[in-house]
Amino acid sequence: MLNRFTTASLVRKIVYSTSKDLNLINLSKHISSTSLSNVQNATKPIRKHNWNQAVSEAEKIVGYPTSFLSLRWLLSDEIANVALHLRKLVGSNHPLLKTAKNLIYDGRSNMQAWGLIVLLISKAAGHAPHIPDLEEDKSAGVLHSQRALAEVTEMIRTSTLVHQGMVNLQTLNHSGNELAADSEMIFGNKIALLGGDYLLGNACLQLAGLRNQDLIGLISSAVRDLAESNFVGDRDDENIALPSDPALKINLTDDKPLDDFDNTRDIDMSLIFGHPEREWNFRHTLSSGTLLGKSCQGTLKLAGQSEALQKHGYTFGKHLALAYQASMDLEPFKLQELPLTATFSLISAPVLFHIDHDPSLYEEIRCGKKSVTNIDFRKIHKIVTDGPGIDETKELQRKHGQIAMDVLNEFPDCDARTALQNIILAMQCL
Amino acid sequence: MLLEDELKYIFEDIRQELHEGTNQKELIQIAEYYFGGNGKALRPMVTLLMGKAINYHIHRENSPRTVDAQRKIAMIAEMIHSASLIHDDVIDQSFSRRGKPSVNVLWNHKKVTQAGDYVLAIASIMLSRLKHDEVTLMLSAVLNDLVQGEFMQLGAKETENERFSHYFTKTFRKTASLIANACKGSATIAGADPQIVETAFQYGKNLGLAFQFVDDLLDFVSSSETMGKPTAADLKLGLATAPVLFACEKYPELNPMIMRRFKEPGDVEKAFELVHKSQGLEQTRFLARKHCLEAIKLANKLAESPYQKGLVDIMDLVLNRMK
């Protein structure tokens, strides 16, 4: 979507400007000193907090990169089948092709990052003495079961992305006697649906193989959260999320954080909608926070760690996911001008913050009730870029990154912890 | 009927579980749409009967504590089934199911897909609460079977003599695996010995296969009103089921049509006619009867009880049903 070269130069600019930030400098000092005291560590202090470098250094720490998983997929009959069918879709407009391309090429939203985080936190925490040595993958310092869980996390995340990359064909009222143009779309949906189901089914089976019922309940609840996230708030006909009407905002003197929940049943939605940070928090906790949080919690469960440390794992994973989301939300706004056909998430933090600052922006959003294609993205981009939403989002990003950072201090100093710290820092500069 | 009340509560309890998992109203609406009680409830019925028959076989009059867990397995089996129906309806662009418009007609397909995932997630949470590793593995394997069965349905690349074994494997994965593993799970959690567990599995497998063969047969003879879905639907979807495969032995001109998935104009009508002219329907019924008899033989290995008798009687319903 965004040109790589322009973003790269923008990233450099941002790195330069944000390094003036005191907070960040303090953190970097902290990281380099711990790394220096640990000369034999695989990770060296990373000056520029480059994302790709942070990730590839981190991958070395936990043995082979988790992208080994993709190799296994390529060797499976069903996926080979899907790849074969995908070729038939080349030339059609089905978004599944784009989903597939993003999964393979996009270095930042790629599926491997989640599994990697799970492996790193596993190594950082170590495992309880009662876990037999046989269970451990010595070279990497993680348990075989933890590696399996990291794969499950990646499969679930990918499955959701693939299912979301379908097309709504409800408006086709000629079910059964399809037209040629529709048949490509119907076929694309079929492959996306089955492909996602295949990943989800495999994830369930692999999870069941870990023989830990508490873990299965925990990860299943993350799958539930992901499904639920697709129903929250206003949406257009393609189920693309729209911000809530700012008129719905209820100001509370008692500002409860509203971000700690085991399920959403007990949440009063009227307190969520229209309030920028709460709405952002709620939507993204469901759509990515709980999966990473519960996976980090689960991997510590597998390691036989205390309930308290497991809870830390959840907090770490959830806030890391939110910090990552905020970084992604900022990305389109690093461009001076939005390319003609480009779009961005309308429930991204900069947009929500701006609507709160100036509710008149919501009038532009209203045009997209039926389809977001009716929205003038370039206009919104311009307005938001010039407004306070960007800085507020940077603040939000740092806030969640800092919470994740603080949790890491509960873990012993080691190469995996340093790698996680570097990933958090690199995120701020994405 | 033996379990009528109990089945009614199964559906009520499923709906309650789905309500408790979320406060998103539309998600609940889609998720519970197929639990309205219009279905045949074959899976929970067979699972419950098997559980009770086995409990009697092991404990006689003393009903064991596992009854509640067995009931949960029946609920989970129905939930996995419904989740797969929800996804099937999106894939096949159906019009109607169980006498009402199908989910894909009423709601956004992206939401419908997610609602199917939601039903599975809730079923999986319920399964984890049973705290039984083996049972969890069995029912998780069913999910894989269901998807692989769907994948097998996508392409008709196999040669003529592979077709029947392909059709059998597909039918096991798409229909029989769930019933077989639900029966096996119910027997396992009751603490039955390995032989009885295997009996339960084989009974479910034979019942599932017979059920699907009859289903494939009815697709050629039933009218849309009694089936709740249109006739010759399989042909229209490009699928060659048992009646066509049998008919093909007598009318080889069906071969190219099978290979091109009845895509050319007139294919569906021609294939439909040839099936009726051949012995395909009788042969399919014969095949279904064979599996029914096998299931009855297996049911008779269990101690005689009203439930065990139910397992025998249900085969008559499977074979002679009109819808």
Side-chain angles (χ1 to χ4, degrees), chain A residues 106-153:
Chain A
D106 190 342
R108 268 166 285 171
S109 65
N110 69 7
M111 56 191 174
Q112 284 105 8
W114 259 208
L116 179 63
I117 303 286
V118 174
L119 291 181
L120 287 169
I121 198 78
S122 309
K123 189 174 184 190
H127 55 82
H130 70 264
I131 307 274
D133 276 356
L134 202 67
E135 297 289 315
E136 191 184 338
D137 176 351
K138 284 273 184 234
S139 61
V142 294
L143 304 176
H144 294 299
S145 58
Q146 291 177 314
R147 198 176 283 286
L149 175 62
E151 288 183 2
V152 166
T153 306

Side-chain angles (χ1 to χ4, degrees), chain A residues 163 197 211 220 228 238, chain B residues 20 22 87 110 117 124 134:
Chain A
H163 274 174
D197 279 359
R211 295 170 180 270
S220 304
E228 190 178 16
E238 276 301 320
Chain B
E20 282 175 7
T22 175
H87 281 187
K110 285 163 129 174
D117 293 351
S124 180
E134 299 307 322

Side-chain angles (χ1 to χ4, degrees), chain B residues 222-243:
Chain B
S222 221
S223 71
S224 348
E225 291 86 64
T226 49
M227 276 300 272
K229 55 184 173 190
T231 356
D234 290 335
L235 287 178
K236 288 174 193 158
L237 288 170
L239 306 178
T241 55

Side-chain angles (χ1 to χ4, degrees), chain A residues 158-397:
Chain A
T158 311
S159 148
T160 300
L161 290 174
V162 172
H163 274 174
Q164 281 168 344
M166 290 171 57
V167 183
N168 178 25
L169 298 176
Q170 192 200 345
T171 40
L172 288 185
N173 263 335
H174 30 77
S175 309
N177 36 46
E178 51 197 58
L179 301 171
D182 301 334
S183 76
E184 270 181 346
M185 287 296 165
I186 293 172
F187 186 74
N189 266 6
K190 188 185 272 191
I191 297 303
L193 203 149
L194 287 180
D197 279 359
Y198 172 76
L199 291 172
L200 202 55
N202 255 4
C204 274
L205 193 55
Q206 183 153 324
L207 194 57
L210 297 181
R211 295 170 180 270
N212 183 326
Q213 299 297 325
D214 289 341
L215 177 72
I216 295 170
L218 186 69
I219 301 297
S220 304
S221 76
V223 176
R224 175 202 61 198
D225 297 342
L226 287 171
E228 190 178 16
S229 73
N230 290 281
F231 291 82
V232 177
D234 292 341
R235 276 146 196 286
D236 80 346
D237 285 352
E238 276 301 320
N239 209 34
I240 295 170
L242 300 166
S244 304
D245 190 334
L248 293 173
K249 184 178 175 182
I250 298 175
N251 277 309
L252 280 181
T253 41
D254 163 35
D255 218 2
K256 281 189 292 179
L258 280 172
D259 59 10
D260 247 0
F261 48 82
D262 289 325
N263 68 60
T264 59
R265 220 184 343 152
D266 309 320
I267 302 244
D268 179 359
M269 296 303 289
S270 68
L271 297 179
I272 305 280
F273 291 134
H275 184 294
E277 192 172 340
R278 281 193 212 133
E279 182 167 336
W280 184 85
N281 207 349
F282 184 80
R283 287 177 182 265
H284 294 104
T285 299
L286 284 183
S287 66
S288 67
T290 63
L291 177 62
L292 191 56
K294 287 170 180 176
S295 299
C296 290
Q297 180 182 352
T299 197
L300 301 184
K301 196 184 277 294
L302 283 171
Q305 299 290 0
S306 68
E307 291 282 333
L309 199 67
Q310 290 178 31
K311 193 82 194 135
H312 280 317
Y314 176 76
T315 310
F316 169 78
K318 188 181 96 173
H319 289 283
L320 185 70
L322 291 177
Y324 183 70
Q325 183 64 48
S327 302
M328 290 293 102
D329 282 1
L330 280 169
E331 190 170 348
F333 296 99
K334 288 173 189 154
L335 300 169
Q336 292 294 322
E337 198 182 359
L338 195 70
L340 264 177
T341 56
T343 61
F344 50 84
S345 163
L346 294 166
I347 54 159
S348 62
V351 180
L352 294 183
F353 280 127
H354 194 98
I355 294 175
D356 188 51
H357 163 75
D358 177 11
S360 72
L361 181 64
Y362 187 68
E363 295 311 312
E364 295 293 329
I365 307 276
R366 275 188 212 277
C367 312
K369 284 265 180 226
K370 188 97 186 113
S371 166
V372 293
T373 52
N374 298 326
I375 287 179
D376 187 345
F377 278 91
R378 277 155 67 92
K379 185 173 172 191
I380 296 181
H381 182 268
K382 174 107 183 57
I383 296 173
V384 172
T385 306
D386 296 338
I390 305 296
D391 283 338
E392 284 181 81
T393 304
K394 284 181 187 161
E395 193 45 49
L396 182 75
Q397 201 283 336

